Amino acid sequence: NSQMYDQTRELQQLERDLRLACDGLRVADSQGQSTVSSEFRLQYQPIVSLTTDQPTSFEALVRWQHPQRGLVSPADFIPLAEDTGLIVPLGHWVLLTACRQIRCLLDQYPELPPFSVSVNLASQQLQDPRFLEDLDHILTLTQIEGRYLKLELTESMLMDHADATIDMLKQIRDRNIQLSLDDFGTGYSSLSYLHRFPLDTLKIDRSFVSRMQTSPEDFEIIRTIITLAHTLGMNVVAEGIESIEQKNQLAALSCDQGQGYLFSKPLTADAMALQFAAPA
Ligand code: C2E
Ligand code: MG
Ligand code: MG
Ligand code: MG
């Protein structure tokens, strides 16, 4: 029918635009200007310690400033980028840009406390045979030590090709890069599998946090995830903390860190640098 036809046309147009925007990235990148001339931007959301309230990490979140549509949310274009394979060049740009922005921060503020920047990875990036080579190239180019970087994976990425993935993750860890498991609890991962993967952090999905005060089951799931993570030697981040009550309850459950609008919305790189390095 005509409504489905319109939706298909709309999606095809968005795909063409995304392809153009990603083509633009390669040109800009080879000229060393990836941060100025692309339609993509990174914002950074603080992840704070629930004991000290200080940021320990910043999650890099991509935005697409579309010339006609305005700001397109990653929920609307990341799935499309994954379906078309464009996530590989886009993900490369995200990593490079995050590392360049870390380099700027370190150059501008040499006395910062330890921190890391968390970058979301898509499955195709991890399966790309050139991934490690590209990663090393980016670290060398920007002169960033691995400890400044943390990569966020999802449960399905672990389960897809378990043995090859474990090997890849170990090689990432060899570079002192940390690993987080994102949106934990929403995928299919078998709990008995989890210890096989060299992970530093579990991120409890926002959906559990949003229900923790109205649903005793969700509260118990959170408690169980925290215990499990600590038993396996991992630390825990709770996503989507919006109220002080949620924060206090999570802290009482020994959750290590939190992320959410209570602490901060995602910030531009400049705002993040100011807030972290030169707080009022
Ligand atoms: P995510 O990795 O789980 O990132 C957290 C999302 O939750 C972000 O949405 C963030 O803005 C939002 N959020 C944070 N705190 C709160 C809160 O207190 N309340 C609510 N309601 N939301 C909160 P965003 O930026 O729209 O990103 C959505 C998803 O897009 C991300 O979920 C991630 O899966 C994906 N994504 C973003 N950037 C990238 C990227 O560079 N590469 C890849 N592969 N995926 C990305
Ligand atoms: Mg994430
Ligand atoms: Mg998440
Ligand atoms: Mg989530």
Side-chain angles (χ1 to χ4, degrees):
N1 61 34
S2 76
Q3 202 193 337
M4 271 175 66
Y5 178 76
D6 287 349
Q7 280 176 4
T8 307
R9 292 270 312 234
E10 170 82 8
L11 205 62
Q12 285 172 341
Q13 185 60 52
L14 197 65
E15 183 180 325
R16 269 196 295 275
D17 292 348
L18 188 64
R19 200 172 291 280
L20 280 174
C22 290
D23 284 349
L25 284 183
R26 281 201 208 94
V27 175
D29 185 22
S30 62
Q31 295 167 351
Q33 312 177 318
S34 71
T35 45
V36 279
S37 53
S38 103
E39 288 175 15
F40 299 101
R41 304 278 179 275
L42 291 185
Q43 290 191 342
Y44 294 90
Q45 188 178 33
I47 297 173
V48 308
S49 156
L50 293 186
T51 46
T52 67
D53 281 339
Q54 295 304 305
T56 56
S57 190
F58 297 87
E59 180 170 6
L61 296 160
V62 69
R63 275 86 184 87
W64 180 16
Q65 185 67 51
H66 186 283
Q68 285 89 39
R69 291 169 201 251
L71 207 61
V72 186
S73 147
D76 295 325
F77 69 90
I78 292 289
L80 192 60
E82 288 180 343
D83 290 347
T84 53
L86 291 169
I87 194 69
V88 173
L90 178 58
H92 181 268
W93 177 88
V94 169
L95 258 178
L96 176 61
T97 304
C99 288
R100 284 202 175 133
Q101 291 179 332
I102 297 170
R103 170 58 30 228
C104 283
L105 192 65
L106 293 172
D107 286 346
Q108 208 179 346
Y109 304 97
E111 310 273 278
L112 289 175
F115 72 96
S116 62
V117 167
S118 301
V119 173
N120 293 283
L121 275 198
S123 163
Q124 283 149 296
Q125 288 178 271
L126 210 57
Q127 287 168 39
D128 180 356
R130 289 185 40 186
F131 180 72
L132 283 176
E133 204 184 307
D134 287 350
L135 186 63
D136 287 336
H137 180 68
I138 289 173
L139 294 176
T140 306
L141 195 74
T142 55
Q143 297 281 291
I144 292 299
E145 291 168 51
R147 65 190 164 98
Y148 288 105
L149 208 55
K150 194 157 178 167
L151 299 178
E152 295 199 359
L153 320 164
T154 56
E155 290 164 89
S156 62
M157 289 164 70
L158 300 190
M159 298 308 143
D160 282 352
H161 308 270
D163 288 331
T165 305
I166 292 171
D167 184 58
M168 182 65 136
L169 298 184
K170 285 189 177 143
Q171 297 197 58
I172 293 173
R173 272 283 218 67
D174 287 343
R175 287 148 171 86
N176 285 326
I177 297 171
Q178 297 178 72
L179 296 170
S180 279
L181 191 53
D182 206 357
D183 305 333
F184 187 70
T186 60
Y188 306 93
S189 66
S190 152
L191 295 186
S192 63
Y193 246 55
L194 213 52
H195 74 278
R196 295 181 54 197
F197 299 94
L199 300 167
D200 300 280
T201 303
L202 283 191
K203 293 185 80 173
I204 303 176
D205 190 68
R206 172 157 62 88
S207 57
F208 299 106
V209 174
S210 71
R211 293 186 302 249
M212 70 180 292
Q213 284 158 301
T214 52
S215 153
E217 288 84 3
D218 287 279
F219 186 88
E220 281 309 316
I221 289 171
I222 289 179
R223 186 213 295 279
T224 305
I225 293 176
I226 294 170
T227 306
L228 171 77
H230 288 163
T231 303
L232 296 177
M234 302 179 205
N235 61 55
V236 188
V237 175
E239 297 186 315
I241 302 182
E242 296 183 357
S243 74
I244 190 82
E245 292 78 16
Q246 290 168 338
K247 182 203 160 182
N248 291 340
Q249 286 188 5
L250 286 158
L253 293 175
S254 303
C255 182
D256 305 284
Q257 286 141 275
Q259 176 178 8
Y261 298 161
L262 174 68
F263 308 108
S264 172
K265 296 215 162 171
L267 306 166
T268 62
D270 288 344
M272 178 272 268
L274 276 180
Q275 213 206 57
F276 180 47

